[in-house]
Amino acid sequence: MDELEALAAEIGDKLKARGEKVAVNESSSGGLVSAALLSVPGASAYFLGGAVVYTPKARVLLTDIPREALEGVRSASEGYALILARNACERYGATWGVSETGAAGPTGNGYGDAPGHTCVAVSGPVEAVLTVETGSEDRSANMRAFAAAALELLKRALDS
């Protein structure tokens, strides 16, 4: 968690300095993206909220993404990650939306993705999406790697 907290502190400093806000929709990282961002003193200046959208039911209850917006898009894909990031941004009125969706392990998911597969996305003044394959079945390590990938992507977006 130390690596995630250090990265989140950098991000928090940038967001506070710019007066920008962030919201998160994450899945297989299990809340680690939000936890890292909230670990920074003064996080209330930039963190608006987030959701762990781990199941289709959670997605319906927590995001209110219209079913038609998901037609032809499968979970744990770059397209789905971008929909989640845009939703976080719009729903919370944030400058930045961050998302993560994948298969932490030790087995793959029902969509055919191997453990260690995730897609992360950022939506805001710029948009970016990235697929990560750790090649590991270690659930806890994958969750940390997924959160780190999402935070790194946000940091790069803030620097662009």
Side-chain angles (χ1 to χ4, degrees), residues 56-117:
K57 184 173 184 172
R59 185 196 66 238
V60 169
L61 293 172
L62 299 172
T63 68
D64 202 30
I65 295 172
R67 182 171 290 180
E68 58 272 4
L70 299 170
E71 286 181 22
V73 178
R74 72 171 184 83
S75 185
S77 68
E78 289 189 356
Y80 183 68
L82 197 51
I83 288 169
L84 287 176
R86 288 173 178 160
N87 173 266
C89 189
E90 293 166 10
R91 193 158 169 90
Y92 288 88
T95 315
W96 298 96
V98 179
S99 73
E100 177 279 327
T101 177
T107 60
N109 61 25
Y111 308 103
D113 299 308
H117 165 89

Side-chain angles (χ1 to χ4, degrees), residues 1-58:
M1 195 63 187
D2 291 343
E3 173 192 337
L4 296 177
E5 290 177 359
L7 187 51
E10 281 184 67
I11 291 167
D13 287 344
K14 289 178 188 211
L15 291 170
K16 284 189 274 189
R18 294 158 64 157
E20 296 178 345
K21 312 285 186 190
V22 65
V24 179
N25 277 329
E26 56 190 306
S27 178
S28 299
S29 55
L32 290 177
V33 175
S34 296
L37 290 167
L38 286 168
S39 73
V40 179
S44 59
Y46 62 83
F47 187 84
L48 294 178
V52 177
V53 186
Y54 193 68
T55 64
K57 184 173 184 172

